[in-house]
Amino acid sequence: METAIRLILDREALARRVAELGAQLSRDYRGLEPVFVGILKGAFIFLADLVRALEFPVEVDFVRAASYGAGTESAGVIRLTKDVELPLAGRHLLLVEDIVDAGYTLDFLRRHLNALGPASLKICCLIDKRERRRVEVPLDYVGFVVPGGFLVGYGLDCGEKLRTLPEVYAVDMGGESCTP
Ligand code: PRP
């Protein structure tokens, strides 16, 4: 079966929403000297655009988490594969994620970062796949709510492919998996 690909978010829609989020975050975090923590790998493009939409510079750090289980379904068991490197106790943290699906990754990382004693911890995600949620996570800033479909581009991958597309697409793999 052939792979079908459908445009979901074009460059203009992404740029407009990132600019809006940047303006909102600039208002909310002015004077707080926040640290933006990106979740690798998917959030690297969103984070890069978001920090350049702010009205002041911020510090940036990264975490990476992996879920056990293959394919497009998370098994819900998350482990940390790269921790933050900055001292974050007493800092105002914004966790930046590309997509929230079942919610397992953010639930895990939220607990992990809260244990470091930040002054505050909020979450900003580009895409909320709300209908797929298995565990509730409070999302403070949401770019888009997108129903079903396997999404690629603007940081989102399919077996490490298609991550660098500048738009977001839904792919129908025709039964194939994304395993590289
Ligand atoms: C994706 C995405 C989120 C997570 C969401 O990461 O970037 O981090 O899955 O799923 P969940 O809400 O069901 O936990 P992935 O594990 O594909 O790694 P990547 O960002 O390196 O591509």
Side-chain angles (χ1 to χ4, degrees), residues 73-118:
E73 291 285 336
S74 168
V77 182
I78 308 292
R79 71 195 157 95
L80 194 71
T81 56
K82 185 221 168 294
D83 207 348
V84 289
E85 293 167 17
L86 296 173
L88 297 181
R91 302 296 302 271
H92 292 278
L93 307 186
L94 184 73
L95 197 45
V96 179
E97 176 65 293
D98 54 350
I99 189 164
V100 188
D101 194 6
Y104 297 133
T105 305
L106 271 178
D107 183 56
F108 173 89
L109 289 173
R110 211 172 134 252
R111 290 167 200 273
H112 175 70
L113 292 177
N114 265 326
L116 302 177

Side-chain angles (χ1 to χ4, degrees), residues 39-135:
I39 303 174
L40 294 171
K41 298 178 188 176
F44 83 108
I45 291 178
F46 176 43
L47 178 68
D49 284 347
L50 191 62
V51 294
R52 288 177 294 170
L54 295 172
E55 291 163 15
F56 45 83
V58 294
E59 291 174 48
V60 169
D61 207 340
F62 292 94
V63 284
R64 179 151 168 71
S67 64
Y68 289 105
T72 57
E73 291 285 336
S74 168
V77 182
I78 308 292
R79 71 195 157 95
L80 194 71
T81 56
K82 185 221 168 294
D83 207 348
V84 289
E85 293 167 17
L86 296 173
L88 297 181
R91 302 296 302 271
H92 292 278
L93 307 186
L94 184 73
L95 197 45
V96 179
E97 176 65 293
D98 54 350
I99 189 164
V100 188
D101 194 6
Y104 297 133
T105 305
L106 271 178
D107 183 56
F108 173 89
L109 289 173
R110 211 172 134 252
R111 290 167 200 273
H112 175 70
L113 292 177
N114 265 326
L116 302 177
S120 69
L121 173 56
K122 289 187 174 180
I123 295 172
C124 175
C125 75
L126 178 70
I127 295 171
D128 180 6
K129 280 176 106 178
R130 206 164 279 173
E131 64 187 34
R132 302 252 310 165
R133 201 73 84 253
R134 303 291 292 274
V135 53

